[in-house]
Amino acid sequence: MGSQGRSGPPGSGEGEGEREGRRGAAQGQGRRRKRGKARSARARGPEGAGAEAEAAAGRAEPGGGAGRGSGAGSRAAMTAAMATAEEAEGPALWRLPEELLLLVCSYLDARALGRLAQVCRALRRVTSCDPPWRRIARASLNAGFSRLGTDLMSSVPVKERVKVSQNWRLGRCREGILLKWRCSQMPWMQLEDNSLYISQANFILAYQFRPDGASLNRRPLGVFAGHDEDVCHFVLANSHIISAGGDGKIGVHKIHSTFAVKYSAHEQEVNCVDCKGNIIVSGSRDRTAKVWPLTSGRLGQCLHTIQTEDRVWSIAISPLLSSFVTGTACCGHFSPLRIWDLNSGQLMTHLGSDFPPGAGVLDVMYESPSTLLSCGYDTYVRYWDLRTSVRKCVMEWEEPHDSTLYCLQTDGNHLLATGSSYYGVVRLWDRRQRACLHAFPLTSTPLSSPVYCLRFTTTHLYAALSYNLHVLDFKNP
């Protein structure tokens, strides 16, 4: 009996230890079952995981103390299953439509977009699209966007243009020489597609660019002759080359054919010419400007002769084809910038009122129907807005070394380039500030030369001097 009394009743002693062991084994088995369910949920994807969680929640009905413990475990299992489902779906960013994802990226700056592209291939693809870079490009220098936001070079990825734009802003470029000539020249130049047209003496040469844009095929595509003296100026319009010569004549050449016409236009050298919409305007040292038609059968028939009472150095037709502006030598008591009606030849208005004597305008260009830029002997570039005032320019930039400004060019947005009279200095300006951004002297002291003409693309700048045609490569500095 004593030994039976020591063994105790079934619920005490060794009986309790056995129940503890069974409970621990059951809990371990439950944990293994949950891990197995989580693995199977991941294998089935987010839908299977969600269904498993709902089933677990349905089985867990609260009731008494044991019910409450079982419900808490079911809620934990459901949370784990939902987390597994979210992992299977990926980050919340990927659940956005592509349009919204591109919109979010468009608010980032260039550095943030560059870092985002390093996260994964998918984000690299998104950040390589054009929309996230458009806002940055519109605020950049020479990125191929106009002031109104029009994309002028839609065939080139915007991201690549923004990269090159940083080189323009920082002045990083590689200088080279495309052409050389033995005698001193006063060359003029135009760009069209992949071709460069440049005047040398009394003819015009056409060259094709190589793919890098920093070199030319040595053999010319074409040679356009006809003047008896040097070509002073020429423009490209309607598949024609319209040239002004020192012999007082205007030449008209079809680019892709042998058609050529030359006619007497002025009594002295023709300094400038422009052409838009089958209308030619010319300006001469003989103190006149004339209007001509560019139509077969009427070439050489003068429509209007305007007495400017001063030598005409520059001329430009308005984009609306309703008027044109002349830039004169400023040797009289009137403004060197005057606007004339294209249909009647009557004076419409003059620009500015404080030009000093001799402040002749050597280059003028319309940027829009109501805005234009001018430069010349008074060492200033002036920006005129006809909607605001014709008496005073809205912005001006002064050449730091008081050099005459022979030519100018703009990207239609923020970048302005000018060519100076000494040492072949090309200057870049950010039109949002008054100070010069960068200066590139292209000649040394013994070979000092003006920059007679300059043109640029989004990747290269070309400058024509007395003895050389220079290139500044901003794509591969």
Side-chain angles (χ1 to χ4, degrees):
M1 284 181 65
S3 61
Q4 290 178 357
R6 283 192 299 270
S7 63
S12 61
E14 286 181 336
E16 291 182 2
E18 291 174 0
R19 283 196 298 275
E20 295 258 343
R22 285 195 297 272
R23 191 181 300 116
Q27 290 176 351
Q29 187 176 1
R31 285 193 294 270
R32 287 192 295 274
R33 190 181 298 115
K34 289 178 182 177
R35 285 196 294 269
K37 289 179 180 179
R39 283 194 295 270
S40 62
R42 280 195 294 271
R44 289 192 301 271
E47 295 181 359
E52 187 69 26
E54 291 178 2
R59 288 194 301 269
E61 294 294 338
R68 284 193 297 272
S70 176
S74 299
R75 284 192 294 274
M78 184 174 65
T79 302
M82 294 303 292
T84 303
E86 290 181 1
E87 290 178 4
E89 289 182 1
L93 190 65
W94 297 125
R95 295 198 292 274
L96 290 174
E98 185 176 357
E99 294 79 5
L100 290 181
L101 190 58
L102 291 172
L103 178 62
V104 170
C105 291
S106 69
Y107 288 96
L108 302 178
D109 58 18
R111 178 173 294 183
L113 285 172
R115 290 174 176 173
L116 194 62
Q118 299 174 12
V119 173
C120 62
R121 293 180 181 177
L123 283 176
R124 183 179 180 85
R125 179 184 62 81
V126 170
T127 56
S128 296
C129 296
D130 284 350
W133 295 94
R134 290 185 186 277
R135 180 183 59 84
I136 300 171
R138 286 195 292 267
S140 301
L141 292 177
N142 198 22
F145 281 84
S146 70
R147 187 176 292 271
L148 298 178
T150 304
D151 192 346
L152 306 176
M153 298 187 62
S154 57
S155 60
V156 182
V158 180
K159 180 180 178 180
E160 296 303 317
R161 285 182 269 164
V162 171
K163 282 183 180 179
V164 179
S165 174
Q166 300 305 310
N167 294 333
W168 288 88
R169 182 177 62 85
L170 299 173
R172 293 193 299 237
C173 64
R174 178 167 51 89
E175 182 185 342
I177 295 178
L178 291 180
L179 295 172
K180 295 182 179 180
W181 37 88
R182 296 179 181 179
C183 301
S184 177
Q185 307 280 347
M186 294 179 64
W188 194 256
M189 174 177 51
Q190 298 288 354
L191 303 178
E192 184 175 70
D193 299 329
N194 294 322
S195 301
L196 178 142
Y197 297 80
I198 187 166
S199 64
Q200 293 183 25
N202 62 337
F203 51 87
I204 299 169
L205 298 175
Y207 291 92
Q208 185 174 21
F209 284 109
R210 291 175 179 167
D212 61 358
S215 57
L216 297 170
N217 291 329
R218 290 300 176 186
R219 178 173 294 180
L221 289 174
V223 179
F224 304 92
H227 288 282
D228 299 325
E229 297 185 25
D230 289 357
V231 175
C232 300
H233 196 281
F234 70 92
V235 294
L236 307 178
N238 303 333
S239 298
H240 289 80
I241 299 177
I242 296 92
S243 58
D247 53 3
K249 297 178 180 179
I250 292 178
V252 179
H253 302 264
K254 275 194 176 180
I255 295 177
H256 303 295
S257 75
T258 58
F259 174 83
V261 173
K262 182 180 66 171
Y263 54 87
S264 295
H266 293 268
E267 296 178 0
Q268 298 184 38
E269 63 193 52
V270 187
N271 292 321
C272 51
V273 67
D274 195 15
C275 179
K276 283 185 178 69
N278 291 326
I279 291 293
I280 301 172
V281 293
S282 59
S284 171
R285 191 181 183 89
D286 65 3
R287 302 171 185 258
T288 64
K290 295 186 179 183
V291 182
W292 314 83
L294 181 63
T295 53
S296 59
R298 299 186 64 192
L299 289 173
Q301 297 180 11
C302 182
L303 301 178
H304 302 291
T305 299
I306 295 99
Q307 300 295 330
T308 61
E309 300 180 8
D310 205 352
R311 291 166 292 176
V312 183
W313 297 130
S314 56
I315 202 163
I317 300 176
S318 166
L320 295 180
L321 306 181
S322 59
S323 61
F324 67 95
V325 60
T326 56
T328 57
C330 197
C331 294
H333 300 287
F334 38 77
S335 168
L337 280 170
R338 284 173 286 175
I339 298 178
W340 311 83
D341 186 272
L342 195 59
N343 297 316
S344 65
Q346 298 299 312
L347 178 65
M348 296 175 61
T349 187
H350 62 269
L351 303 180
S353 57
D354 55 352
F355 287 95
V361 176
L362 295 178
D363 200 4
V364 61
M365 62 174 291
Y366 274 95
E367 195 173 42
S368 73
S370 57
T371 58
L372 53 91
L373 290 150
S374 65
C375 69
Y377 283 112
D378 66 345
T379 74
Y380 279 92
V381 178
R382 289 184 170 89
Y383 179 60
W384 306 87
D385 191 333
L386 306 182
R387 300 163 298 184
T388 304
S389 173
V390 295
R391 293 290 177 262
K392 188 172 179 60
C393 63
V394 294
M395 188 71 174
E396 61 184 16
W397 300 269
E398 183 180 9
E399 215 285 335
H401 294 159
D402 292 332
S403 298
T404 299
L405 295 174
Y406 271 64
C407 54
L408 60 85
Q409 185 71 19
T410 174
D411 67 345
N413 198 1
H414 301 304
L415 181 66
L416 174 67
T418 59
S420 303
S421 59
Y422 295 118
Y423 310 118
V425 175
V426 171
R427 295 188 184 275
L428 300 182
W429 310 76
D430 186 340
R431 293 168 59 177
R432 293 164 291 190
Q433 58 190 43
R434 290 188 178 273
C436 173
L437 193 62
H438 299 290
F440 303 95
L442 302 181
T443 63
S444 56
T445 304
L447 297 175
S448 178
S449 164
V451 179
Y452 290 109
C453 183
L454 62 82
R455 296 288 183 264
F456 60 77
T457 65
T458 56
T459 55
H460 298 82
L461 184 146
Y462 308 95
L465 280 68
S466 297
Y467 292 93
N468 303 306
L469 174 62
H470 293 255
V471 59
L472 299 179
D473 185 351
F474 289 88
K475 186 177 181 180
N476 301 299

